[in-house]
Amino acid sequence: MHFVIAGLGNPGAQYQFHRHNIGFLIIQALLAKYDITPKAKHNALIADIKINNSKVTLIMPQNYMNRSGAPIAKLLNFYQIPPENLLVIHDELDLPSGAVKLKFSGGTAGHNGLKDIGNHIGKDYWRLRIGINHPGHPAQVSDYVLSNFNKAEMTDIFIPLIADIRDNIDLLLGDDNFSTDNNRAFLEKISQ
């Protein structure tokens, strides 16, 4: 079986530690774990790893966040991978910092990356939603997501969370699919 794990973010060093880039940070942690350097293809950085008995392609689209859909769609089409074998890792304003939720399909909650992915492949794919908290007022959202995590957030919440996700990502994949039982085991591990 072939799966795709896509981390969302904005390319460029100036965005590296922005709240919007949590998906990129997790993919980078997986690349380091597997000691692999991604290659540029389909306007994305891509690397293949093996998790359990499955081939997994990691992807970081190199368009900006609101144009994430095209590189992901190109990759799925190239390998003929169905959308239900895609996991998108993204920031989530509607969850407290460090909270993690996993869901299949659904709306975008105003997330521009998810909107663009939906425009290209529809809504029936998996999402790993990483809580970054809400700044409190809708007018502050853009500046908030495009600002760096503060030192305390990184040290106390996100560095340990990224490590937990990196170390337990294999629990998400069964022999041939993302499954409810696998998802439960994964979420229990990273919330300890």
Side-chain angles (χ1 to χ4, degrees):
M1 225 31 186
H2 193 167
F3 296 91
V4 173
I5 300 178
L8 299 189
N10 287 309
Q14 69 271 35
Y15 302 110
Q16 184 175 4
F17 296 108
H18 282 186
R19 291 175 174 87
H20 228 11
N21 274 42
I22 189 68
F24 274 16
L25 292 172
I26 291 168
I27 295 296
Q28 289 163 347
L30 287 168
L31 292 169
K33 174 183 179 177
Y34 288 90
D35 193 25
I36 190 166
T37 302
K39 293 181 170 67
K41 189 173 185 180
H42 304 299
N43 203 21
L45 294 177
I46 296 171
D48 291 325
I49 60 173
K50 188 165 183 160
I51 297 178
N52 300 331
N53 295 318
S54 298
K55 179 179 179 179
V56 178
T57 299
L58 305 175
I59 177 173
M60 293 186 293
Q62 295 299 288
N63 292 351
Y64 286 97
M65 176 71 77
N66 62 351
R67 304 294 301 268
S68 298
I72 292 171
K74 283 180 188 173
L75 181 72
L76 294 180
N77 290 334
F78 181 80
Y79 287 114
Q80 299 182 333
I81 298 169
E84 59 267 20
N85 284 12
L86 168 67
L87 174 70
V88 175
I89 305 173
H90 65 90
D91 59 300
E92 179 63 59
L93 286 165
D94 295 331
L95 293 174
S97 286
V100 177
K101 298 278 184 183
L102 190 68
K103 76 175 203 170
F104 180 76
S105 195
T108 65
H111 193 289
N112 289 329
L114 298 182
K115 283 181 190 176
D116 195 59
I117 293 168
N119 290 339
H120 284 84
I121 67 165
K123 63 180 184 173
D124 292 336
Y125 59 91
W126 289 92
R127 300 109 190 269
L128 185 60
R129 304 162 59 209
I130 310 295
I132 60 166
N133 220 353
H134 196 286
H137 193 278
Q140 298 171 323
V141 166
S142 182
D143 287 341
Y144 178 74
V145 299
L146 295 175
S147 65
N148 287 338
F149 290 109
N150 65 47
K151 188 175 180 181
E153 285 175 311
M154 279 304 285
T155 303
D156 299 340
I157 299 172
F158 290 100
I159 289 174
L161 178 62
I162 290 166
D164 281 348
I165 292 170
R166 175 200 66 209
D167 294 343
N168 293 289
I169 198 81
D170 60 307
L171 294 176
L172 282 178
L173 293 175
D175 289 334
D176 59 3
N177 63 7
F178 293 109
S179 75
T180 305
D181 288 340
N182 293 342
N183 297 345
R184 191 176 304 114
F186 171 78
L187 292 172
E188 285 172 0
K189 267 293 201 198
I190 64 171
S191 63
Q192 291 178 353

